[in-house]
Amino acid sequence: MERKVSTIDLKVGMHVANLDRPWLDTPFLLQGFIIEKEEDIQALQQHCKYVFIDTEKGDEATSYLDDKPTLPSNQYVEEFLEGGTKRVNYEEKQSAFHELPAAEVALESATNKVAMIMDNLKAGDNLDVGAVRNAVQPVLESVIRNSDALLWVSEMQKKDEYTYAHSIDNCALGIAFGRHLGLYKEDMRNLAMGLLLMDVGKVKVDDGILNKAGTLTVEEFDKMKEHVHHGVDLLRNTPGINESIIHIVLTHHERYDGSGYPHGLKGKQVPVFGRIAAIIDCYTAMTSTSIYRTAIAPHKALQTIYNWRNKYFQDELVEQFLQCVGVYPTGSLVEMSTGEVGMIMAQNRVQRLKPKIMMLLDENKRPYEVSKIVDLSIDATDTSGVDLSIITGLKAGAYDIDPSKILED
């Protein structure tokens, strides 16, 4: 029987049946051999991250990479998803409008700190846990005061640059979702830090693979998937990291039906924070422009996630996520029944189809000289007395709208 083993765990007496790369790409003459001396192990470690050993032809290992780990979950969140009550009910302490200045400062500070953290890691420095916590804290405090303002600012400042924006988007949306689920503040912080660090292992992946615009080859994709183990190894060697943060990094590519990686965990074998991370990572990837894809409209991304419930994502978590972000998420563009185009500025938690909207274009798709704010729960009709409503969501950049210019105006 062949089992997958890290080359770190190899011992004399094991039978190497296969490598993590073609045999011809290595100096080994035999395709399958018994490890007879320490020099054999050193040679394998030089060329391979992992190998497959035949446990019927040689000795067994003490641990295997294809073992499915047993990971603890957050029990009070599990109970809530099964029909229980929230542990914490957060109230809006500030309107979205009044929270905007603090949200801008928090987002700018977090972006700068994350850029510094990642650049230091690429330069070979150790991960600074205190810096990660300091990056998350102002974002956490802002979203606790108001769950819309920072998400709105994040969309306003979104650029085509994907490197750090994806991590920040994950963090901010994760805090908003954690707030919606009623997480304790410390658990929300751990969730946010895990989401911020999900892809930290990519600092160990070759830039040629990370920046490749075309489809990755099977071998390249295998290399890309190694970022999970790179990230886990990095965090395990970093003092002060909560275990739940490591589990988020380990499981954010697992899927509810067992089709994910690296361990093919299924259902609740994946801790609930890992299941949350999978949804958020997928949503922010679909709604962001990168070298791999063009962003799609947020409402279409939500429809896709909804269609994937009980396949890739847990049904109950998908339902809660849709409740959290709304039918048309904060920061998304919409077209009105009048022909006007606006951007969702704040959600209506009671009437999901009646959010607060900043109108940007008139019925002829010409920019307003002064943007106007419309609250559909109050402004129910247009100037002619006809019902005012959203007729469709629009993709980012529709009608050449540049969100980053809105905050400058």
Side-chain angles (χ1 to χ4, degrees):
M1 178 181 180
E2 291 190 9
R3 299 293 304 275
K4 185 177 179 181
V5 180
S6 169
T7 52
I8 296 173
D9 297 320
L10 292 178
K11 295 179 181 179
V12 172
M14 294 180 178
H15 183 278
V16 178
N18 275 299
L19 311 178
D20 62 0
R21 65 201 61 239
W23 287 92
L24 293 176
D25 293 348
T26 71
F28 305 114
L29 299 178
L30 299 176
Q31 296 189 19
F33 61 91
I34 291 283
I35 298 176
E36 297 180 342
K37 51 188 181 296
E38 288 296 327
E39 287 78 2
D40 294 337
I41 296 175
Q42 292 170 8
L44 285 164
Q45 290 175 342
Q46 182 179 353
H47 294 279
C48 303
K49 295 285 187 182
Y50 61 86
V51 299
F52 295 87
I53 65 170
D54 191 327
T55 57
E56 295 177 357
K57 295 181 179 180
D59 294 343
E60 293 199 19
T62 55
S63 64
Y64 297 95
L65 292 178
D66 50 9
D67 280 337
K68 293 186 177 182
T70 301
L71 304 172
S73 189
N74 188 304
Q75 289 307 308
Y76 75 83
V77 180
E78 299 281 18
E79 291 169 5
F80 168 65
L81 294 174
E82 291 173 3
T85 57
K86 294 181 183 180
R87 292 299 175 94
V88 184
N89 286 294
Y90 293 95
E91 296 181 358
E92 302 281 300
K93 297 180 179 179
Q94 189 85 277
S95 70
F97 179 80
H98 287 97
E99 181 59 28
L100 282 178
E104 285 189 69
V105 172
L107 189 66
E108 182 177 2
S109 173
T111 301
N112 292 336
K113 287 174 181 174
V114 169
M116 181 187 68
I117 291 165
M118 296 305 177
D119 287 344
N120 288 345
L121 282 174
K122 288 180 181 178
D125 294 343
N126 295 326
L127 179 65
D128 187 340
V129 181
V132 176
R133 191 175 290 110
N134 289 338
V136 165
Q137 192 61 31
V139 178
L140 175 66
E141 297 294 344
S142 178
V143 175
I144 285 177
R145 288 191 296 269
N146 181 280
S147 57
D148 286 305
L150 194 134
L151 295 179
W152 190 78
V153 174
S154 179
E155 190 64 33
M156 298 305 93
Q157 295 185 353
K158 189 174 287 185
K159 307 288 196 303
D160 288 341
E161 172 59 46
Y162 190 72
T163 308
Y164 305 127
H166 186 57
S167 295
I168 297 295
D169 288 347
N170 285 335
C171 175
L173 188 54
I175 294 172
F177 195 22
R179 182 186 193 275
H180 170 81
L181 294 172
L183 297 188
Y184 293 125
K185 193 172 179 179
E186 183 60 29
D187 287 330
M188 220 185 306
R189 183 182 293 108
N190 288 333
L191 175 61
M193 290 176 67
L195 288 162
L196 194 68
L197 296 170
M198 278 194 305
D199 292 328
V200 69
K202 288 183 178 179
V203 299
K204 300 290 186 181
V205 178
D206 184 80
D207 284 343
I209 294 175
L210 289 176
N211 300 323
K212 182 177 178 180
T215 303
L216 297 179
T217 65
V218 173
E219 185 176 8
E220 287 171 337
F221 187 54
D222 284 341
K223 290 291 185 183
M224 177 69 85
K225 289 193 290 187
E226 288 177 8
H227 82 273
V228 172
H229 288 305
H230 291 319
V232 170
D233 289 344
L234 191 155
L235 295 186
R236 289 208 182 280
N237 290 314
T238 302
I241 287 286
N242 186 284
E243 195 70 14
S244 65
I245 296 172
I246 297 175
H247 293 165
I248 291 171
V249 176
L250 176 63
T251 62
H252 71 281
H253 282 297
E254 301 287 357
R255 294 295 179 257
Y256 202 63
D257 62 356
S259 63
Y261 66 87
H263 294 293
L265 300 179
K266 186 175 183 179
K268 293 184 180 179
Q269 290 177 330
V270 183
V272 67
F273 282 5
R275 280 174 262 150
I276 289 171
I279 293 173
I280 289 175
D281 188 40
C282 186
Y283 174 77
T284 57
M286 285 192 288
T287 55
S288 302
T289 295
S290 72
I291 59 173
Y292 306 112
R293 67 185 70 83
T294 301
I296 65 173
H299 75 284
K300 290 187 177 180
L302 291 176
Q303 183 63 56
T304 300
I305 287 174
Y306 180 77
N307 291 338
W308 285 342
R309 69 196 190 284
N310 274 340
K311 182 180 181 183
Y312 300 141
F313 310 121
Q314 182 183 0
D315 185 23
E316 293 84 355
L317 270 178
V318 170
E319 293 291 344
Q320 291 297 327
F321 185 67
L322 296 180
Q323 288 183 35
C324 172
V325 299
V327 179
Y328 300 101
T330 301
S332 61
L333 296 174
V334 293
E335 185 162 355
M336 308 300 297
S337 53
T338 56
E340 295 169 289
V341 173
M343 177 170 283
I344 305 298
M345 188 175 179
Q347 297 292 326
N348 184 325
R349 306 298 169 189
V350 178
Q351 296 175 291
R352 291 288 173 176
L353 292 175
K354 296 184 179 296
K356 186 175 292 185
I357 305 170
M358 176 181 282
M359 295 299 189
L360 304 175
L361 306 180
D362 65 19
E363 63 274 15
N364 297 310
K365 307 301 186 289
R366 293 177 302 204
Y368 281 114
E369 290 186 9
V370 178
S371 300
K372 61 178 181 177
I373 307 297
V374 172
D375 186 339
L376 288 183
S377 66
I378 300 172
D379 306 305
T381 59
D382 61 22
T383 54
S384 60
V386 178
D387 286 346
L388 182 62
S389 61
I390 299 170
I391 60 171
T392 188
L394 301 171
K395 67 179 183 179
Y399 299 107
D400 295 323
I401 294 173
D402 183 353
S404 65
K405 299 293 185 183
I406 296 173
L407 284 177
E408 297 175 4
D409 295 340

